[in-house]
mmCIF file of all heavy atoms in Angstrom:
data_model
loop_
_atom_site.group_PDB
_atom_site.id
_atom_site.type_symbol
_atom_site.label_atom_id
_atom_site.label_comp_id
_atom_site.label_asym_id
_atom_site.label_seq_id
_atom_site.Cartn_x
_atom_site.Cartn_y
_atom_site.Cartn_z
ATOM 1 N N GLU A 203 -52.901 -72.787 -34.347
ATOM 2 C CA GLU A 203 -53.604 -72.113 -35.437
ATOM 3 C C GLU A 203 -53.671 -70.596 -35.192
ATOM 4 O O GLU A 203 -53.479 -69.795 -36.118
ATOM 5 C CB GLU A 203 -55.006 -72.684 -35.588
ATOM 6 C CG GLU A 203 -55.055 -74.122 -36.097
ATOM 7 C CD GLU A 203 -54.651 -75.136 -35.016
ATOM 8 O OE1 GLU A 203 -54.720 -74.781 -33.811
ATOM 9 O OE2 GLU A 203 -54.252 -76.260 -35.386
ATOM 10 N N GLN A 204 -53.960 -70.217 -33.947
ATOM 11 C CA GLN A 204 -54.006 -68.791 -33.616
ATOM 12 C C GLN A 204 -52.626 -68.155 -33.768
ATOM 13 O O GLN A 204 -52.494 -67.039 -34.280
ATOM 14 C CB GLN A 204 -54.512 -68.611 -32.181
ATOM 15 C CG GLN A 204 -55.977 -68.957 -31.998
ATOM 16 C CD GLN A 204 -56.388 -68.995 -30.530
ATOM 17 O OE1 GLN A 204 -55.586 -69.342 -29.651
ATOM 18 N NE2 GLN A 204 -57.643 -68.657 -30.263
ATOM 19 N N PHE A 205 -51.627 -68.902 -33.317
ATOM 20 C CA PHE A 205 -50.265 -68.380 -33.439
ATOM 21 C C PHE A 205 -49.876 -68.217 -34.903
ATOM 22 O O PHE A 205 -49.249 -67.223 -35.282
ATOM 23 C CB PHE A 205 -49.267 -69.308 -32.740
ATOM 24 C CG PHE A 205 -47.832 -68.896 -32.945
ATOM 25 C CD1 PHE A 205 -47.305 -67.824 -32.247
ATOM 26 C CD2 PHE A 205 -47.023 -69.568 -33.854
ATOM 27 C CE1 PHE A 205 -45.987 -67.419 -32.448
ATOM 28 C CE2 PHE A 205 -45.705 -69.176 -34.065
ATOM 29 C CZ PHE A 205 -45.192 -68.096 -33.348
ATOM 30 N N ALA A 206 -50.250 -69.177 -35.739
ATOM 31 C CA ALA A 206 -49.914 -69.111 -37.160
ATOM 32 C C ALA A 206 -50.505 -67.859 -37.803
ATOM 33 O O ALA A 206 -49.841 -67.179 -38.606
ATOM 34 C CB ALA A 206 -50.411 -70.365 -37.875
ATOM 35 N N THR A 207 -51.751 -67.522 -37.439
ATOM 36 C CA THR A 207 -52.386 -66.314 -37.971
ATOM 37 C C THR A 207 -51.628 -65.071 -37.539
ATOM 38 O O THR A 207 -51.356 -64.167 -38.337
ATOM 39 C CB THR A 207 -53.848 -66.229 -37.500
ATOM 40 O OG1 THR A 207 -54.563 -67.370 -37.973
ATOM 41 C CG2 THR A 207 -54.512 -64.959 -38.025
ATOM 42 N N PHE A 208 -51.261 -65.033 -36.246
ATOM 43 C CA PHE A 208 -50.544 -63.879 -35.695
ATOM 44 C C PHE A 208 -49.170 -63.707 -36.337
ATOM 45 O O PHE A 208 -48.829 -62.631 -36.843
ATOM 46 C CB PHE A 208 -50.405 -64.050 -34.180
ATOM 47 C CG PHE A 208 -49.275 -63.275 -33.571
ATOM 48 C CD1 PHE A 208 -49.353 -61.897 -33.426
ATOM 49 C CD2 PHE A 208 -48.110 -63.920 -33.147
ATOM 50 C CE1 PHE A 208 -48.293 -61.181 -32.881
ATOM 51 C CE2 PHE A 208 -47.062 -63.215 -32.591
ATOM 52 C CZ PHE A 208 -47.158 -61.837 -32.463
ATOM 53 N N ILE A 209 -48.369 -64.765 -36.360
ATOM 54 C CA ILE A 209 -46.982 -64.634 -36.804
ATOM 55 C C ILE A 209 -46.903 -64.411 -38.314
ATOM 56 O O ILE A 209 -46.001 -63.707 -38.802
ATOM 57 C CB ILE A 209 -46.146 -65.866 -36.373
ATOM 58 C CG1 ILE A 209 -44.656 -65.489 -36.293
ATOM 59 C CG2 ILE A 209 -46.362 -67.038 -37.307
ATOM 60 C CD1 ILE A 209 -44.310 -64.550 -35.177
ATOM 61 N N THR A 210 -47.858 -64.951 -39.052
ATOM 62 C CA THR A 210 -47.880 -64.728 -40.505
ATOM 63 C C THR A 210 -48.155 -63.264 -40.816
ATOM 64 O O THR A 210 -47.550 -62.679 -41.718
ATOM 65 C CB THR A 210 -48.938 -65.622 -41.177
ATOM 66 O OG1 THR A 210 -48.648 -66.994 -40.874
ATOM 67 C CG2 THR A 210 -48.932 -65.431 -42.689
ATOM 68 N N ASP A 211 -49.050 -62.652 -40.051
ATOM 69 C CA ASP A 211 -49.345 -61.235 -40.252
ATOM 70 C C ASP A 211 -48.125 -60.379 -39.913
ATOM 71 O O ASP A 211 -47.793 -59.438 -40.643
ATOM 72 C CB ASP A 211 -50.531 -60.825 -39.382
ATOM 73 C CG ASP A 211 -51.017 -59.420 -39.692
ATOM 74 O OD1 ASP A 211 -51.181 -59.090 -40.885
ATOM 75 O OD2 ASP A 211 -51.232 -58.633 -38.750
ATOM 76 N N VAL A 212 -47.455 -60.705 -38.818
ATOM 77 C CA VAL A 212 -46.259 -59.953 -38.420
ATOM 78 C C VAL A 212 -45.200 -60.014 -39.510
ATOM 79 O O VAL A 212 -44.566 -59.010 -39.852
ATOM 80 C CB VAL A 212 -45.688 -60.498 -37.092
ATOM 81 C CG1 VAL A 212 -44.314 -59.888 -36.803
ATOM 82 C CG2 VAL A 212 -46.637 -60.217 -35.944
ATOM 83 N N ILE A 213 -45.000 -61.184 -40.086
ATOM 84 C CA ILE A 213 -43.924 -61.381 -41.058
ATOM 85 C C ILE A 213 -44.291 -60.866 -42.447
ATOM 86 O O ILE A 213 -43.483 -60.197 -43.103
ATOM 87 C CB ILE A 213 -43.543 -62.876 -41.131
ATOM 88 C CG1 ILE A 213 -42.870 -63.305 -39.821
ATOM 89 C CG2 ILE A 213 -42.627 -63.150 -42.311
ATOM 90 C CD1 ILE A 213 -42.592 -64.793 -39.728
ATOM 91 N N PHE A 214 -45.504 -61.126 -42.904
ATOM 92 C CA PHE A 214 -45.838 -60.884 -44.307
ATOM 93 C C PHE A 214 -46.592 -59.579 -44.572
ATOM 94 O O PHE A 214 -46.650 -59.145 -45.723
ATOM 95 C CB PHE A 214 -46.657 -62.053 -44.855
ATOM 96 C CG PHE A 214 -45.853 -63.285 -45.128
ATOM 97 C CD1 PHE A 214 -45.696 -64.250 -44.148
ATOM 98 C CD2 PHE A 214 -45.242 -63.474 -46.357
ATOM 99 C CE1 PHE A 214 -44.954 -65.400 -44.386
ATOM 100 C CE2 PHE A 214 -44.495 -64.613 -46.608
ATOM 101 C CZ PHE A 214 -44.348 -65.583 -45.620
ATOM 102 N N ASN A 215 -47.188 -58.984 -43.554
ATOM 103 C CA ASN A 215 -47.985 -57.776 -43.774
ATOM 104 C C ASN A 215 -47.063 -56.569 -43.963
ATOM 105 O O ASN A 215 -46.411 -56.123 -43.016
ATOM 106 C CB ASN A 215 -48.907 -57.537 -42.577
ATOM 107 C CG ASN A 215 -49.853 -56.365 -42.798
ATOM 108 O OD1 ASN A 215 -49.675 -55.560 -43.710
ATOM 109 N ND2 ASN A 215 -50.855 -56.256 -41.945
ATOM 110 N N PRO A 216 -46.988 -56.005 -45.172
ATOM 111 C CA PRO A 216 -46.059 -54.888 -45.416
ATOM 112 C C PRO A 216 -46.457 -53.611 -44.703
ATOM 113 O O PRO A 216 -45.633 -52.706 -44.537
ATOM 114 C CB PRO A 216 -46.110 -54.716 -46.940
ATOM 115 C CG PRO A 216 -47.460 -55.239 -47.332
ATOM 116 C CD PRO A 216 -47.755 -56.372 -46.376
ATOM 117 N N ASN A 217 -47.708 -53.533 -44.271
ATOM 118 C CA ASN A 217 -48.188 -52.319 -43.612
ATOM 119 C C ASN A 217 -48.050 -52.365 -42.094
ATOM 120 O O ASN A 217 -48.296 -51.366 -41.424
ATOM 121 C CB ASN A 217 -49.658 -52.077 -43.975
ATOM 122 C CG ASN A 217 -49.847 -51.874 -45.466
ATOM 123 O OD1 ASN A 217 -49.092 -51.145 -46.101
ATOM 124 N ND2 ASN A 217 -50.855 -52.532 -46.032
ATOM 125 N N LEU A 218 -47.675 -53.525 -41.563
ATOM 126 C CA LEU A 218 -47.455 -53.639 -40.130
ATOM 127 C C LEU A 218 -45.988 -53.352 -39.844
ATOM 128 O O LEU A 218 -45.105 -54.061 -40.309
ATOM 129 C CB LEU A 218 -47.825 -55.049 -39.645
ATOM 130 C CG LEU A 218 -47.934 -55.278 -38.143
ATOM 131 C CD1 LEU A 218 -48.786 -56.516 -37.858
ATOM 132 C CD2 LEU A 218 -46.563 -55.471 -37.486
ATOM 133 N N ALA A 219 -45.718 -52.284 -39.098
ATOM 134 C CA ALA A 219 -44.351 -51.886 -38.752
ATOM 135 C C ALA A 219 -43.450 -51.784 -39.980
ATOM 136 O O ALA A 219 -42.422 -52.456 -40.075
ATOM 137 C CB ALA A 219 -43.754 -52.863 -37.735
ATOM 138 N N PRO A 220 -43.790 -50.951 -40.953
ATOM 139 C CA PRO A 220 -43.020 -50.908 -42.205
ATOM 140 C C PRO A 220 -41.624 -50.309 -42.068
ATOM 141 O O PRO A 220 -40.762 -50.562 -42.904
ATOM 142 C CB PRO A 220 -43.884 -50.041 -43.118
ATOM 143 C CG PRO A 220 -44.668 -49.181 -42.183
ATOM 144 C CD PRO A 220 -44.943 -50.030 -40.981
ATOM 145 N N LYS A 221 -41.396 -49.525 -41.019
ATOM 146 C CA LYS A 221 -40.107 -48.835 -40.882
ATOM 147 C C LYS A 221 -39.611 -48.959 -39.444
ATOM 148 O O LYS A 221 -40.320 -48.623 -38.497
ATOM 149 C CB LYS A 221 -40.274 -47.351 -41.239
ATOM 150 C CG LYS A 221 -38.986 -46.637 -41.548
ATOM 151 C CD LYS A 221 -38.534 -46.922 -42.952
ATOM 152 C CE LYS A 221 -37.341 -46.069 -43.355
ATOM 153 N NZ LYS A 221 -36.831 -46.402 -44.695
ATOM 154 N N LYS A 222 -38.406 -49.450 -39.294
ATOM 155 C CA LYS A 222 -37.833 -49.566 -37.945
ATOM 156 C C LYS A 222 -37.599 -48.186 -37.332
ATOM 157 O O LYS A 222 -38.021 -47.914 -36.212
ATOM 158 C CB LYS A 222 -36.520 -50.349 -38.002
ATOM 159 C CG LYS A 222 -35.771 -50.423 -36.676
ATOM 160 C CD LYS A 222 -34.454 -51.150 -36.863
ATOM 161 C CE LYS A 222 -33.529 -50.954 -35.685
ATOM 162 N NZ LYS A 222 -32.209 -51.578 -35.904
ATOM 163 N N VAL A 223 -36.901 -47.330 -38.039
ATOM 164 C CA VAL A 223 -36.645 -45.961 -37.577
ATOM 165 C C VAL A 223 -37.008 -45.008 -38.701
ATOM 166 O O VAL A 223 -36.423 -45.062 -39.789
ATOM 167 C CB VAL A 223 -35.169 -45.752 -37.185
ATOM 168 C CG1 VAL A 223 -34.946 -44.328 -36.692
ATOM 169 C CG2 VAL A 223 -34.744 -46.748 -36.113
ATOM 170 N N SER A 224 -37.968 -44.140 -38.452
ATOM 171 C CA SER A 224 -38.350 -43.130 -39.429
ATOM 172 C C SER A 224 -37.757 -41.788 -39.016
ATOM 173 O O SER A 224 -37.875 -41.373 -37.854
ATOM 174 C CB SER A 224 -39.870 -43.007 -39.523
ATOM 175 O OG SER A 224 -40.224 -41.916 -40.360
#
Side-chain angles (χ1 to χ4, degrees):
E203 292 75 21
Q204 290 170 328
F205 174 76
T207 299
F208 157 73
I209 204 69
T210 302
D211 188 47
V212 170
I213 291 174
F214 285 91
N215 185 346
N217 299 315
L218 192 159
K221 198 80 172 176
K222 175 183 166 184
V223 181
S224 173

